[in-house]
Short mmCIF file of all heavy atoms in Angstrom, two decimals:
data_model
loop_
_atom_site.label_atom_id
_atom_site.label_comp_id
_atom_site.label_asym_id
_atom_site.label_seq_id
_atom_site.Cartn_x
_atom_site.Cartn_y
_atom_site.Cartn_z
N ASP A 690 77.95 129.25 -11.95
CA ASP A 690 76.85 128.31 -11.71
C ASP A 690 77.36 127.08 -10.86
O ASP A 690 76.61 126.55 -10.04
CB ASP A 690 76.37 127.75 -13.15
CG ASP A 690 75.62 128.78 -13.91
OD1 ASP A 690 75.25 129.84 -13.35
OD2 ASP A 690 75.53 128.71 -15.12
N GLU A 691 78.60 126.59 -11.16
CA GLU A 691 79.10 125.41 -10.49
C GLU A 691 79.40 125.85 -8.91
O GLU A 691 79.20 125.06 -8.09
CB GLU A 691 80.30 124.92 -11.11
CG GLU A 691 80.23 124.11 -12.27
CD GLU A 691 79.50 122.74 -11.99
OE1 GLU A 691 79.84 122.20 -10.80
OE2 GLU A 691 78.74 122.20 -12.74
N LEU A 692 79.83 127.01 -8.77
CA LEU A 692 80.12 127.53 -7.34
C LEU A 692 78.77 127.66 -6.57
O LEU A 692 78.61 127.26 -5.46
CB LEU A 692 80.89 128.85 -7.35
CG LEU A 692 81.19 129.49 -5.98
CD1 LEU A 692 82.05 128.52 -5.24
CD2 LEU A 692 81.66 130.83 -6.19
N THR A 693 77.78 128.19 -7.30
CA THR A 693 76.42 128.26 -6.74
C THR A 693 75.94 126.90 -6.32
O THR A 693 75.39 126.71 -5.17
CB THR A 693 75.44 129.11 -7.54
OG1 THR A 693 75.95 130.37 -7.85
CG2 THR A 693 74.01 129.15 -6.99
N LEU A 694 76.05 125.96 -7.27
CA LEU A 694 75.50 124.58 -6.94
C LEU A 694 76.33 123.98 -5.81
O LEU A 694 75.63 123.29 -4.93
CB LEU A 694 75.66 123.82 -8.22
CG LEU A 694 75.14 122.37 -8.20
CD1 LEU A 694 73.66 122.28 -7.98
CD2 LEU A 694 75.42 121.68 -9.52
N LEU A 695 77.58 124.15 -5.78
CA LEU A 695 78.41 123.64 -4.65
C LEU A 695 77.94 124.14 -3.33
O LEU A 695 77.79 123.44 -2.35
CB LEU A 695 79.84 123.96 -4.93
CG LEU A 695 80.88 123.43 -3.86
CD1 LEU A 695 81.10 121.97 -3.93
CD2 LEU A 695 82.32 124.24 -4.07
N PHE A 696 77.66 125.51 -3.27
CA PHE A 696 77.24 126.11 -2.03
C PHE A 696 75.91 125.58 -1.62
O PHE A 696 75.61 125.21 -0.47
CB PHE A 696 77.23 127.68 -2.22
CG PHE A 696 76.68 128.36 -1.07
CD1 PHE A 696 77.50 128.76 -0.08
CD2 PHE A 696 75.36 128.77 -0.89
CE1 PHE A 696 77.18 129.42 1.07
CE2 PHE A 696 74.94 129.44 0.26
CZ PHE A 696 75.77 129.79 1.21
N GLU A 697 74.95 125.45 -2.54
CA GLU A 697 73.62 125.00 -2.25
C GLU A 697 73.63 123.55 -1.84
O GLU A 697 72.69 123.22 -0.89
CB GLU A 697 72.65 125.29 -3.39
CG GLU A 697 72.45 126.69 -3.81
CD GLU A 697 71.70 127.46 -2.74
OE1 GLU A 697 70.98 126.93 -1.96
OE2 GLU A 697 72.00 128.76 -2.65
N GLU A 698 74.43 122.77 -2.42
CA GLU A 698 74.33 121.26 -2.12
C GLU A 698 74.87 121.00 -0.66
O GLU A 698 74.57 120.05 -0.06
CB GLU A 698 75.21 120.55 -3.16
CG GLU A 698 74.55 120.28 -4.43
CD GLU A 698 75.44 119.53 -5.43
OE1 GLU A 698 76.63 119.35 -5.16
OE2 GLU A 698 74.96 119.16 -6.48
N HIS A 699 75.83 121.91 -0.29
CA HIS A 699 76.56 121.58 1.07
C HIS A 699 76.15 122.57 2.21
O HIS A 699 76.64 122.21 3.30
CB HIS A 699 78.06 121.55 0.77
CG HIS A 699 78.57 120.47 -0.16
ND1 HIS A 699 78.86 119.26 0.22
CD2 HIS A 699 78.65 120.51 -1.47
CE1 HIS A 699 79.25 118.46 -0.74
NE2 HIS A 699 79.13 119.25 -1.83
N LYS A 700 75.52 123.61 1.98
CA LYS A 700 75.25 124.58 3.08
C LYS A 700 74.52 123.98 4.24
O LYS A 700 74.78 124.29 5.37
CB LYS A 700 74.53 125.76 2.56
CG LYS A 700 73.14 125.48 2.07
CD LYS A 700 72.45 126.79 1.53
CE LYS A 700 71.02 126.58 1.14
NZ LYS A 700 70.43 127.84 0.55
N GLY A 701 73.58 123.01 4.03
CA GLY A 701 72.85 122.43 4.99
C GLY A 701 73.70 121.58 6.03
O GLY A 701 73.36 121.40 7.16
N ASN A 702 74.93 121.14 5.46
CA ASN A 702 75.80 120.33 6.37
C ASN A 702 76.59 121.22 7.31
O ASN A 702 77.19 120.64 8.25
CB ASN A 702 76.81 119.51 5.43
CG ASN A 702 76.12 118.58 4.59
OD1 ASN A 702 74.95 117.99 4.88
ND2 ASN A 702 76.71 118.28 3.38
N TYR A 703 76.65 122.42 7.06
CA TYR A 703 77.56 123.34 7.85
C TYR A 703 76.81 124.47 8.53
O TYR A 703 77.43 125.59 8.78
CB TYR A 703 78.63 123.84 6.99
CG TYR A 703 79.46 122.66 6.31
CD1 TYR A 703 79.38 122.42 4.92
CD2 TYR A 703 80.11 121.71 7.17
CE1 TYR A 703 80.08 121.28 4.36
CE2 TYR A 703 80.68 120.63 6.57
CZ TYR A 703 80.69 120.43 5.15
OH TYR A 703 81.33 119.44 4.58
N GLY A 704 75.60 124.30 8.77
CA GLY A 704 74.83 125.40 9.55
C GLY A 704 74.44 126.55 8.86
O GLY A 704 74.06 127.57 9.51
N VAL A 705 74.44 126.63 7.57
CA VAL A 705 73.90 127.84 6.72
C VAL A 705 72.47 127.74 6.67
O VAL A 705 72.00 126.67 6.23
CB VAL A 705 74.67 127.81 5.32
CG1 VAL A 705 74.19 129.03 4.63
CG2 VAL A 705 76.27 127.85 5.59
N PRO A 706 71.78 128.87 6.93
CA PRO A 706 70.33 128.79 6.83
C PRO A 706 69.83 128.42 5.45
O PRO A 706 70.47 128.72 4.36
CB PRO A 706 69.88 130.23 7.18
CG PRO A 706 71.06 130.73 8.07
CD PRO A 706 72.26 130.01 7.53
N GLU A 707 68.72 127.75 5.31
CA GLU A 707 68.14 127.31 4.01
C GLU A 707 67.88 128.53 3.11
O GLU A 707 68.04 128.43 1.93
CB GLU A 707 66.85 126.58 4.25
CG GLU A 707 66.23 126.04 3.00
CD GLU A 707 67.19 124.97 2.34
OE1 GLU A 707 67.89 124.33 3.13
OE2 GLU A 707 67.11 124.81 1.14
N ASP A 708 67.50 129.71 3.64
CA ASP A 708 67.18 130.91 2.88
C ASP A 708 68.47 131.72 2.57
O ASP A 708 68.34 132.83 2.04
CB ASP A 708 66.18 131.77 3.54
CG ASP A 708 66.58 132.24 4.90
OD1 ASP A 708 67.63 131.83 5.38
OD2 ASP A 708 65.88 133.10 5.47
N ALA A 709 69.61 131.31 2.96
CA ALA A 709 70.87 132.05 2.67
C ALA A 709 71.42 131.57 1.31
O ALA A 709 71.52 130.43 1.02
CB ALA A 709 71.88 131.86 3.73
N HIS A 710 71.86 132.58 0.50
CA HIS A 710 72.42 132.18 -0.86
C HIS A 710 73.58 133.13 -1.12
O HIS A 710 73.81 134.20 -0.44
CB HIS A 710 71.28 132.42 -1.97
CG HIS A 710 70.04 131.76 -1.67
ND1 HIS A 710 69.88 130.41 -1.84
CD2 HIS A 710 68.80 132.20 -1.28
CE1 HIS A 710 68.61 130.08 -1.58
NE2 HIS A 710 67.95 131.14 -1.15
N LEU A 711 74.40 132.66 -2.09
CA LEU A 711 75.62 133.54 -2.45
C LEU A 711 75.19 134.79 -3.07
O LEU A 711 74.19 134.86 -3.84
CB LEU A 711 76.47 132.76 -3.47
CG LEU A 711 77.23 131.50 -2.97
CD1 LEU A 711 78.06 130.98 -4.04
CD2 LEU A 711 78.13 131.85 -1.68
N LEU A 712 75.87 135.85 -2.71
CA LEU A 712 75.66 137.23 -3.34
C LEU A 712 76.88 137.60 -4.17
O LEU A 712 77.88 137.84 -3.55
CB LEU A 712 75.38 138.26 -2.30
CG LEU A 712 75.20 139.74 -2.76
CD1 LEU A 712 74.05 139.84 -3.65
CD2 LEU A 712 75.01 140.63 -1.55
N PHE A 713 76.73 137.61 -5.46
CA PHE A 713 77.92 137.92 -6.27
C PHE A 713 78.08 139.48 -6.41
O PHE A 713 77.07 140.18 -6.83
CB PHE A 713 77.76 137.29 -7.62
CG PHE A 713 77.83 135.82 -7.52
CD1 PHE A 713 76.80 134.98 -7.79
CD2 PHE A 713 79.04 135.21 -7.29
CE1 PHE A 713 76.83 133.66 -7.85
CE2 PHE A 713 79.16 133.77 -7.20
CZ PHE A 713 78.04 132.98 -7.50
#
Side-chain angles (χ1 to χ4, degrees):
D690 292 343
E691 282 293 327
L692 179 62
T693 300
L694 183 60
L695 180 70
F696 179 84
E697 295 295 332
E698 284 181 348
H699 294 274
K700 67 180 183 181
N702 298 330
Y703 305 114
V705 178
E707 185 63 32
D708 60 350
H710 307 286
L711 290 183
L712 175 62
F713 292 112

